Amino acid sequence: MSQATERGENDPIRVGVLGAAGRMGAQAVRAVEAAPDLAVVAAIDAGDRLGSVAEAGAEVIVDFTHPDAVMDNLRFAVEHGIHAVVGTTGFAQERLDTLRGWLDGAPGLGVLIAPNFALGAVLSMKFAQIAARYYESVEIIELHHNRKADAPSGTAAHTARLIAAARAEAGVPPGPDATTSEVDGARGALVDEVRVHSVRLPGLVAHEEILFGADGETLTIRHDSMDRSSFMPGVLLGVRSIAGLPGLTVGLENVLAL
Amino acid sequence: MSQATERGENDPIRVGVLGAAGRMGAQAVRAVEAAPDLAVVAAIDAGDRLGSVAEAGAEVIVDFTHPDAVMDNLRFAVEHGIHAVVGTTGFAQERLDTLRGWLDGAPGLGVLIAPNFALGAVLSMKFAQIAARYYESVEIIELHHNRKADAPSGTAAHTARLIAAARAEAGVPPGPDATTSEVDGARGALVDEVRVHSVRLPGLVAHEEILFGADGETLTIRHDSMDRSSFMPGVLLGVRSIAGLPGLTVGLENVLAL
Amino acid sequence: MSQATERGENDPIRVGVLGAAGRMGAQAVRAVEAAPDLAVVAAIDAGDRLGSVAEAGAEVIVDFTHPDAVMDNLRFAVEHGIHAVVGTTGFAQERLDTLRGWLDGAPGLGVLIAPNFALGAVLSMKFAQIAARYYESVEIIELHHNRKADAPSGTAAHTARLIAAARAEAGVPPGPDATTSEVDGARGALVDEVRVHSVRLPGLVAHEEILFGADGETLTIRHDSMDRSSFMPGVLLGVRSIAGLPGLTVGLENVLAL
Amino acid sequence: MSQATERGENDPIRVGVLGAAGRMGAQAVRAVEAAPDLAVVAAIDAGDRLGSVAEAGAEVIVDFTHPDAVMDNLRFAVEHGIHAVVGTTGFAQERLDTLRGWLDGAPGLGVLIAPNFALGAVLSMKFAQIAARYYESVEIIELHHNRKADAPSGTAAHTARLIAAARAEAGVPPGPDATTSEVDGARGALVDEVRVHSVRLPGLVAHEEILFGADGETLTIRHDSMDRSSFMPGVLLGVRSIAGLPGLTVGLENVLAL
């Protein structure tokens, strides 16, 4: 049974944080505690008893644990009528299907899986999808510190795919490119027909720039991410919204009223 | 009677351009002619007979004339069942009310008044309004050539007002500002509680940057306008859409499917 | 004999423009005419007599002609004791050697060959060479309209080579790059060990950004070129300086007091 | 007697860090320890004996202490023949004069006072001074987190003054400004005739952008400072260079080979 029904109108939402000793989890604990309409009733990490979260009366769990642990945590949450806001990674299609099955048997219960809780990142992608309907030509520049192993970044590749899909849906063809002579790599990587350029320098943190161009004008959307504190407003928004979003929600963009 | 009913499915839309000898009008003539689904059937300027536009069977007029001429042109268009897409300036509330009155007697007929036809400018403002619901803190930097007389630009001031309204509607308070010691003007102008900074330099054309900030991240929306060719995609979109938008529409943003 | 000796202290410098009917030449005529300390005494194009330039008493020629014509023009100038400021392209090593030979026989006479007269471009490259001594890590992003055939741009490739040379001279190694997984092209083109990224979009003109990074900071030098009027201040600076720069000078950077 | 004479060619430079318990001092200790050609021989803070630094054979002190303590520290250093690299603030003209007097009696000894050790900040200012000779028109935008009390920032005001001085020296007048209608503050603060705009947003750290404009082009120099680790390369450069810079040196720019 969901604990939500037992809460008074002005009582804070009761939150259990899983992975509370990790970097993200610890930030989540602090952020929830700082919010007057939310309260941390349990904060556990690997080795602690999951049962303590239910015993503490948590209405929502925030999960920043590990791909190996998160499915067990979510089964527990669903069985105990606790909503979940999940930042842990590793959700391929199979896991999402499993989750949907569990939630079919728990009407009213909500689970939010979000690969990126930064509002700016989510809004950037949303804006890019909108602009892609009106501009044939678009390229992405992503800039990260030089300790990053993959290029392009997962976020930039994801953005490229969203743009390509929005463009296809609107019947907008990719813009023309007159390049006939290229030093290998100059024009970037092609991800679903969208050019992506990856800059790597010490001093950078995590930045993404989406450039649209048409005759006589350009439109640029840029997101600069300095540190993981940028995820907390999105986590809190998820915690506050999840009781009103029954079933499985993937992506913070589906929580925002866009 | 609207000419639209006489047109075959695959015939081009018949367009009359008013102010065809002006800078914008001449561009509009070229842009309409270059579009395979549109045709220029009349192109007139001050001194030419309005009647020729109706005789040529125009279904839509594009008006880039003068505040002194535009109301006569629109009355003529409404009387002859011709839709109108208007880039001429000078529409205060009184004129809009008059127009609405005329259109009440012409069901199915559409008039679009747009102060800015650049898709990028319109999308920028729309995105700014969306982001304003999630960020307390926002500032605007607009950059123009140093022959500009007013600061801030009309577009930037309009953007500031839209942001303030969106923020108010969402119940988001303006973000805190710790400034206690300021050289006069350093923190910019206040337009509806939004800070606006105006840069003026030769070499610049027309640029606007809207910066949102929250803990650990910033989100920037930037529009760079190089020349007036940027208005043409918006004009063509208006011409193609206006038959489906009966009544008075103010602002290209209401034509876009946002 | 150089005409310079016959000029009074306050007389304007007498300038002949070659290629005056071309886009750049026509701008040069206007720019020289607008400068109070300079005067156009001859403005000729293909088919006109070179002799008329000498007869008009030109002290300096400005050459924006064609690779096929420029060497004949310069031989004529050297023979008639006229300084030259040259924006025409096509100067490989052999031509420069020939020119030096001619100038050896004309002491006091100056010829300036400049592939780029935009002050901002020249200063950008100079600043990049200085910063390269202090930063291991640097990447270049160049952005141009999508009608451009080559990537990277000549200016960006040239900048990369200058940076590589400055770095080598200062004994600074290229910075580390942790990329182990790359979609082809994401990390840009390698030009002398410097990464260069080429963005192509309608609405862009010609832009170059040089990004240096070190622990905790980045330094960016950006040049935005909107149109060819940006070349004129450099041309005028060349005209005013060339009498004081005997021999062959290659590159506007050697005229600036850097 | 300077300890420098007793050191072998390949021995590390012996460094004493004062203010070692502070944020900057602690970083300095780590940075010096990480450099193979430098060694920390003493690391003290308020309450510790200054004498221990000399007894440890320090050749150079790095001082990140407090305006109240720094003059005593420097007198001690000069008396014991120890060079000094100083990041502590509070050096008005009178203190600099006193220091010069002490150093007159200590030939060969060097003291470096630097208000900003970030290479990027120092290079930005240097580049701005050079560009100011060639561009009439320049404006500064500085962007900081919204906990900052003063606007404009000290660095931006200092940059404005350096630009104004360079411009005056080159005989370049301030560029024209056509603004006739201004909402108060839109055009920024005037610092020595240079416009400075101050943006304040959470999520920002410390950023400065210097924009030069001329017909058809703009040149932008931007410095982004993410954290104080950016000061360490400048501190190390000071420590390595100070023995070769006898007397008082104010500003890291005078250590760089610019």
Side-chain angles (χ1 to χ4, degrees):
Chain A
M1 186 197 67
S2 168
Q3 311 293 329
T5 53
E6 303 173 10
R7 186 162 50 88
E9 184 69 16
N10 294 313
D11 290 350
I13 300 174
R14 303 168 64 86
V15 181
V17 178
L18 281 58
R23 202 164 42 169
M24 288 297 296
Q27 285 221 21
V29 169
R30 283 195 300 274
V32 170
E33 278 174 349
D37 59 331
L38 310 178
V40 175
V41 295
I44 68 171
D45 209 276
D48 295 332
R49 266 195 338 113
L50 265 176
S52 65
V53 176
E55 290 155 21
E59 301 162 80
V60 181
I61 61 163
V62 172
D63 189 298
F64 282 109
T65 59
H66 191 271
D68 292 347
V70 68
M71 288 304 279
D72 286 344
N73 297 345
L74 289 175
R75 193 172 43 194
F76 176 90
V78 171
E79 286 171 3
H80 289 76
I82 306 175
H83 306 290
V85 171
V86 183
T88 307
T89 57
F91 281 86
Q93 197 53 50
E94 201 191 322
R95 288 190 161 197
L96 297 176
D97 291 342
T98 303
L99 253 175
R100 275 196 196 91
W102 295 347
L103 286 165
D104 282 347
L109 203 64
V111 172
L112 166 66
I113 311 279
N116 195 333
F117 275 104
L119 287 175
V122 171
L123 288 173
S124 289
M125 285 188 230
K126 185 67 189 177
F127 295 164
Q129 286 171 285
I130 295 172
R133 293 184 221 147
Y134 300 101
Y135 287 89
E136 288 187 357
S137 297
V138 55
E139 303 205 358
I140 298 172
I141 304 171
E142 54 92 349
L143 311 96
H144 284 83
H145 54 85
N146 66 341
R147 300 177 308 282
K148 188 170 182 60
D150 54 323
S153 69
T155 300
H158 185 52
T159 307
R161 279 183 219 108
L162 292 173
I163 287 171
R167 207 148 72 163
E169 201 188 313
V172 176
D177 180 352
T179 311
T180 54
S181 158
E182 180 189 0
V183 178
D184 253 21
R187 293 286 291 112
L190 266 180
V191 177
D192 277 15
E193 302 294 308
V194 176
R195 299 272 172 191
V196 184
H197 309 269
S198 299
V199 176
R200 297 288 175 270
L201 288 173
L204 292 171
V205 187
H207 318 263
E208 188 184 23
E209 204 168 284
I210 310 157
L211 298 96
F212 293 91
D215 273 3
E217 64 158 4
T218 57
L219 172 66
T220 305
I221 300 159
R222 180 175 172 122
H223 183 237
D224 293 274
S225 185
M226 306 301 169
D227 66 56
R228 282 155 199 279
S229 64
S230 66
F231 288 180
M232 291 308 126
V235 170
L236 300 191
L237 186 66
V239 169
R240 289 178 181 122
S241 309
I242 192 62
L245 294 164
L248 180 62
T249 302
V250 180
L252 188 66
E253 60 275 24
N254 298 303
V255 177
L256 304 183
L258 302 177
Chain B
M1 186 197 68
S2 167
Q3 311 293 332
T5 54
E6 303 171 10
R7 186 161 51 87
E9 184 68 18
N10 293 313
D11 291 350
I13 301 175
R14 303 168 65 85
V15 181
V17 178
L18 279 59
R23 203 164 43 172
M24 288 297 295
Q27 284 220 21
V29 168
R30 283 195 300 274
V32 170
E33 278 174 348
D37 59 332
L38 309 177
V40 175
V41 295
I44 67 172
D45 209 276
D48 295 332
R49 268 196 335 113
L50 265 176
S52 65
V53 177
E55 290 154 21
E59 300 162 80
V60 181
I61 60 163
V62 172
D63 190 298
F64 282 108
T65 59
H66 191 271
D68 292 347
V70 68
M71 288 304 278
D72 285 344
N73 297 345
L74 289 175
R75 191 171 45 192
F76 176 89
V78 172
E79 286 172 3
H80 289 77
I82 306 174
H83 306 290
V85 171
V86 183
T88 307
T89 56
F91 281 86
Q93 198 52 49
E94 200 191 322
R95 289 192 159 194
L96 297 177
D97 290 342
T98 302
L99 253 175
R100 276 196 195 91
W102 295 347
L103 285 166
D104 282 347
L109 203 66
V111 171
L112 166 65
I113 310 278
N116 195 332
F117 275 105
L119 287 174
V122 171
L123 288 173
S124 290
M125 285 187 229
K126 185 68 188 178
F127 296 164
Q129 286 171 285
I130 295 173
R133 295 184 220 147
Y134 301 102
Y135 287 89
E136 286 188 359
S137 296
V138 54
E139 303 205 359
I140 298 173
I141 305 172
E142 53 93 349
L143 311 97
H144 283 83
H145 55 82
N146 66 339
R147 300 177 309 281
K148 191 171 181 59
D150 53 321
S153 69
T155 300
H158 185 51
T159 307
R161 280 184 218 108
L162 292 173
I163 287 171
R167 208 148 70 164
E169 200 188 315
V172 176
D177 180 352
T179 311
T180 53
S181 157
E182 181 191 0
V183 177
D184 253 21
R187 293 287 291 113
L190 265 181
V191 178
D192 277 16
E193 302 294 307
V194 176
R195 298 273 172 191
V196 185
H197 309 269
S198 300
V199 176
R200 297 289 175 266
L201 287 173
L204 291 171
V205 187
H207 318 262
E208 188 184 25
E209 205 168 285
I210 309 156
L211 297 96
F212 293 91
D215 272 4
E217 63 158 4
T218 57
L219 171 65
T220 306
I221 300 160
R222 180 174 173 123
H223 183 237
D224 293 274
S225 186
M226 305 301 168
D227 65 57
R228 281 155 200 278
S229 64
S230 66
F231 287 0
M232 291 308 126
V235 169
L236 299 191
L237 186 66
V239 169
R240 288 178 182 121
S241 310
I242 191 62
L245 293 164
L248 180 62
T249 302
V250 180
L252 188 66
E253 60 275 22
N254 297 305
V255 177
L256 304 182
L258 301 176
Chain C
M1 188 195 69
S2 168
Q3 309 293 330
T5 53
E6 302 172 13
R7 187 163 49 89
E9 184 68 18
N10 293 314
D11 291 350
I13 301 176
R14 302 168 65 85
V15 180
V17 178
L18 279 59
R23 205 166 38 173
M24 288 297 296
Q27 284 221 21
V29 168
R30 283 195 300 275
V32 170
E33 277 175 349
D37 59 332
L38 309 178
V40 175
V41 295
I44 68 170
D45 210 276
D48 295 332
R49 267 197 335 115
L50 266 176
S52 65
V53 177
E55 289 155 21
E59 300 161 80
V60 181
I61 60 163
V62 171
D63 189 298
F64 282 109
T65 59
H66 191 271
D68 292 347
V70 68
M71 288 304 278
D72 285 344
N73 297 345
L74 289 175
R75 193 171 42 192
F76 176 89
V78 172
E79 286 172 3
H80 289 78
I82 306 174
H83 306 289
V85 170
V86 183
T88 307
T89 57
F91 281 86
Q93 197 52 50
E94 201 191 322
R95 288 191 160 195
L96 297 177
D97 290 342
T98 301
L99 254 175
R100 276 196 196 90
W102 295 347
L103 286 165
D104 281 348
L109 203 66
V111 171
L112 166 65
I113 311 278
N116 195 333
F117 275 104
L119 287 174
V122 172
L123 289 173
S124 289
M125 285 187 229
K126 184 68 188 178
F127 295 164
Q129 286 171 285
I130 295 173
R133 294 184 222 147
Y134 301 101
Y135 288 88
E136 287 187 358
S137 296
V138 54
E139 303 205 358
I140 298 173
I141 304 172
E142 54 92 351
L143 311 96
H144 283 84
H145 55 82
N146 66 341
R147 299 176 310 280
K148 189 171 183 58
D150 53 321
S153 69
T155 300
H158 185 52
T159 307
R161 282 185 217 107
L162 291 174
I163 287 171
R167 207 148 70 165
E169 200 188 314
V172 176
D177 179 353
T179 311
T180 53
S181 157
E182 180 190 2
V183 178
D184 253 19
R187 293 286 291 111
L190 265 180
V191 178
D192 277 15
E193 301 295 308
V194 176
R195 299 273 172 189
V196 184
H197 310 268
S198 300
V199 176
R200 297 289 174 267
L201 288 173
L204 292 171
V205 187
H207 318 263
E208 189 184 24
E209 204 167 284
I210 310 156
L211 298 96
F212 293 90
D215 272 4
E217 64 158 3
T218 57
L219 172 66
T220 305
I221 300 160
R222 180 173 173 124
H223 183 236
D224 292 274
S225 186
M226 304 302 168
D227 65 55
R228 282 155 199 278
S229 64
S230 66
F231 288 180
M232 291 307 125
V235 170
L236 300 191
L237 186 65
V239 169
R240 289 178 181 122
S241 310
I242 191 62
L245 293 164
L248 180 63
T249 302
V250 180
L252 188 66
E253 59 275 22
N254 297 305
V255 178
L256 305 182
L258 302 176
Chain D
M1 187 197 67
S2 169
Q3 311 293 330
T5 53
E6 305 173 10
R7 186 162 51 87
E9 184 68 17
N10 295 311
D11 290 351
I13 301 175
R14 303 169 65 87
V15 181
V17 178
L18 280 58
R23 204 164 40 168
M24 288 295 298
Q27 284 220 21
V29 168
R30 282 195 300 274
V32 170
E33 278 174 348
D37 60 331
L38 309 178
V40 175
V41 295
I44 67 170
D45 210 276
D48 295 332
R49 268 196 333 114
L50 267 176
S52 65
V53 177
E55 290 156 20
E59 301 161 79
V60 181
I61 61 162
V62 171
D63 189 298
F64 282 109
T65 59
H66 191 273
D68 291 348
V70 67
M71 288 304 279
D72 286 344
N73 296 344
L74 289 175
R75 192 172 44 194
F76 177 88
V78 172
E79 286 172 2
H80 289 77
I82 306 175
H83 306 290
V85 171
V86 182
T88 307
T89 57
F91 281 86
Q93 197 53 49
E94 200 190 323
R95 287 192 161 194
L96 297 177
D97 290 342
T98 302
L99 253 175
R100 276 196 195 90
W102 295 347
L103 285 165
D104 282 347
L109 204 65
V111 170
L112 166 67
I113 310 278
N116 195 332
F117 275 105
L119 286 174
V122 172
L123 288 173
S124 290
M125 285 188 230
K126 184 68 188 177
F127 295 164
Q129 287 171 285
I130 295 173
R133 295 184 220 147
Y134 301 102
Y135 288 88
E136 286 187 359
S137 297
V138 54
E139 303 205 357
I140 298 172
I141 305 171
E142 54 93 349
L143 311 97
H144 283 83
H145 54 83
N146 66 341
R147 300 176 308 281
K148 189 170 182 59
D150 54 323
S153 69
T155 300
H158 184 52
T159 306
R161 280 183 218 110
L162 291 174
I163 287 172
R167 208 147 71 162
E169 199 188 315
V172 176
D177 180 353
T179 311
T180 53
S181 157
E182 180 189 0
V183 178
D184 254 20
R187 294 285 291 113
L190 266 180
V191 177
D192 276 15
E193 302 295 308
V194 176
R195 298 272 174 191
V196 184
H197 310 269
S198 300
V199 176
R200 297 290 175 266
L201 289 172
L204 292 171
V205 187
H207 319 263
E208 188 185 24
E209 204 168 285
I210 310 157
L211 297 95
F212 293 90
D215 273 4
E217 63 158 5
T218 57
L219 172 65
T220 306
I221 300 159
R222 180 174 172 122
H223 183 237
D224 292 274
S225 186
M226 305 302 167
D227 66 56
R228 282 154 200 278
S229 64
S230 65
F231 288 179
M232 290 308 127
V235 170
L236 299 191
L237 185 65
V239 169
R240 289 177 181 122
S241 309
I242 192 61
L245 293 164
L248 180 63
T249 302
V250 180
L252 188 66
E253 59 275 24
N254 297 305
V255 178
L256 304 182
L258 301 177

